Amino acid sequence: MRILLLCSEPVDYVIAYANGVAAHAEVTAILPRERYAGLARWFDPRVTLVLVDWPRTRSPANIPFIADLVRRIRAAQPDLLHMLSNTTLWLNLLPPLLDGIPVVTTVHDVQVHPGDRDTARLPGWGARLMARQSDHLIVHGDNLRRAACDSFGKLPDQVHVVPHPAIRRYADLAAELGLTRDPQDDRFRVLLFGRIFAYKGLATLLRAEAMLSNSLPTLQVTIAGRGDDPMDLAHLMGRSQRYEIRRGFVPDREVAQLFTDADLVVLPYDEASQSGVLHLAATFGKPVVVTDVGELGATVTQHRIGRVVPPRTPSALAHALCDLAREHEARDQLGRNARAWSEGLNAPATIGQTAVQLYDSIVDRAMLSHAGVYG
């Protein structure tokens, strides 16, 4: 089976997913040169990587770009085209031009998260149109499946659950570089990583830290990623000296070191669908504390990889952090569960096998439909 993957973001998902599918099918990935040229070594050699000059959304170069994509897709003769996100505006022109090639689109977030300025820059109708005109959709959990059916007017048999795969490249980089944590560091390190926008629950984490000023004196909170400035909420902090803040883009080596150093990864989100950070933390064998939003609570509970607390409840978050700081054996077991999950049920090759089985059924249905119309 020949699968063509097409997208610009999210980078870590694209790499992990392409590698997983390549273990089971012939994969070509057409991706932006600017974003992926420096990351080519992280792709499985079985992925045929086609890097192209990808115009910005407002550029008139998108018209010839789409024409070039159509030529490339037709030349590749894929059995199926998979858009790995529904948030690239100009790709909406493709489906009507593909001569009946089935189109599958991954919808990571059915609704835009509060404060997510990156996604909000794009017109909402563009993401909805891509989802609506795709033959099938992929989401990352059952709750999202129901929401996608309602939001995009799809029948249940057109929306499928394929979990987000483990993101391995940072753990592989840490192993390659021989990264370790300083054995003299006796702090309890809690990491909040990723895009720091309103829905990520930063205020909840800061309030929880303030509650732990006396009961957890070794606590160190690291906040790393681009987005809002955590110091705008400094008035919520208990002890500002317990914070390490790395604002902006974090280079890969630093990401690998941050996760190596962490005792625990926290996802205190006010609202979410799913999170790539969860699938990154697991590859380092790190337990998590998450809020029960989107698919996070169900995933963590099912695989026994952390603790789940209610959203917007600093006291519950503080209690979970304090418990895991003190319960070394329980924390270590959760970490072992997380690593095993990342190497088994959540491994890219495992998720890729699920995806290829889905592709087979979609292609078969398309062929039967075509035969019914023209036979």
Side-chain angles (χ1 to χ4, degrees):
M1 171 173 283
R2 295 187 300 274
I3 306 301
L4 196 149
L5 305 178
L6 183 63
C7 195
S8 59
E9 303 277 354
V11 170
D12 289 323
Y13 172 80
V14 169
I15 294 171
Y17 189 86
N19 290 346
V21 174
H24 307 281
E26 184 179 333
V27 174
T28 297
I30 301 178
L31 304 171
R33 189 188 320 278
E34 182 180 6
R35 296 291 286 132
Y36 290 90
L39 298 170
R41 76 184 187 99
W42 296 113
F43 283 90
D44 188 300
R46 291 171 290 189
V47 176
T48 299
L49 198 57
V50 180
L51 301 181
V52 298
D53 295 323
W54 197 291
R56 295 182 179 275
T57 300
R58 296 179 183 274
S59 172
N62 279 286
I63 298 299
F65 169 65
I66 292 297
D68 180 61
L69 280 183
V70 171
R71 287 192 294 270
R72 290 177 183 273
I73 293 169
R74 289 174 176 169
Q77 297 183 316
D79 296 297
L80 180 145
L81 172 65
H82 187 170
M83 309 275 198
L84 294 179
S85 172
N86 64 320
T87 56
T88 304
L89 181 64
W90 285 91
L91 296 187
N92 277 290
L93 296 177
L94 282 178
L97 305 174
L98 296 181
D99 301 328
I101 298 171
V103 175
V104 176
T105 296
T106 295
V107 177
H108 297 279
D109 300 308
V110 176
Q111 302 293 334
V112 176
H113 301 304
D116 183 352
R117 297 191 301 275
D118 286 354
T119 305
R121 290 192 185 102
L122 301 172
W125 62 263
R128 291 191 296 273
L129 178 60
M130 178 57 71
R132 288 180 178 277
Q133 67 177 332
S134 298
D135 300 297
H136 293 264
L137 302 179
I138 285 176
V139 295
H140 300 311
D142 290 326
N143 291 332
L144 295 174
R145 181 171 181 261
R146 290 187 288 270
C149 288
D150 294 340
S151 294
F152 305 124
K154 295 294 186 183
L155 297 173
D157 65 353
Q158 293 177 293
V159 182
H160 313 274
V161 175
V162 176
H164 192 303
I167 296 173
R168 290 220 51 85
R169 72 183 183 93
Y170 300 100
D172 291 343
L173 178 61
E176 177 184 302
L177 297 176
L179 300 182
T180 60
R181 175 169 166 165
D182 182 353
Q184 303 301 315
D185 185 356
D186 61 355
R187 291 169 291 183
F188 181 69
R189 288 184 167 270
V190 171
L191 174 63
L192 174 65
F193 178 79
R195 299 185 306 160
I196 312 300
F197 291 138
Y199 73 96
K200 290 296 185 77
L202 177 60
T204 300
L205 175 60
L206 302 189
R207 289 188 170 101
E209 176 273 323
M211 294 176 180
L212 294 170
S213 291
N214 297 320
S215 55
L216 192 53
T218 62
L219 177 63
Q220 174 80 33
V221 179
T222 300
I223 301 169
R226 59 190 179 85
D228 299 335
D229 186 353
M231 295 311 297
D232 289 343
L233 299 176
H235 62 284
L236 300 178
M237 297 176 179
R239 299 180 185 176
S240 59
Q241 65 269 28
R242 299 207 295 191
Y243 288 85
E244 177 186 5
I245 296 174
R246 302 192 189 186
R247 190 170 176 229
F249 173 75
V250 183
D252 288 357
R253 181 181 179 127
E254 290 186 28
V255 174
Q257 188 68 64
L258 288 173
F259 278 88
T260 297
D261 291 343
D263 290 294
L264 181 150
V265 177
V266 63
L267 292 82
Y269 301 168
D270 295 343
E271 191 271 344
S273 301
Q274 42 71 43
S275 174
V277 176
L278 177 67
H279 300 272
L280 194 170
T283 64
F284 283 85
K286 303 298 179 178
V288 295
V289 175
V290 307
T291 46
D292 194 9
V293 295
E295 302 296 333
L296 295 181
T299 301
V300 169
T301 299
Q302 179 182 354
H303 301 291
R304 302 190 303 279
I305 59 177
R307 299 282 177 84
V308 181
V309 299
R312 300 183 179 88
T313 313
S315 59
L317 178 58
H319 183 74
L321 295 178
C322 193
D323 277 355
L324 287 176
R326 293 169 175 170
E327 298 174 7
H328 298 275
E329 186 175 339
R331 191 171 75 238
D332 290 346
Q333 183 60 58
L334 293 172
R336 288 191 291 270
N337 293 346
R339 190 184 299 277
W341 176 58
S342 77
E343 295 172 353
L345 291 175
N346 194 231
T350 306
I351 303 303
Q353 183 177 34
T354 299
V356 171
Q357 290 170 349
L358 172 62
Y359 294 157
D360 281 334
S361 68
I362 290 173
V363 170
D364 287 346
R365 286 174 58 178
M367 291 177 64
L368 288 172
S369 176
H370 187 82
V373 173
Y374 297 106

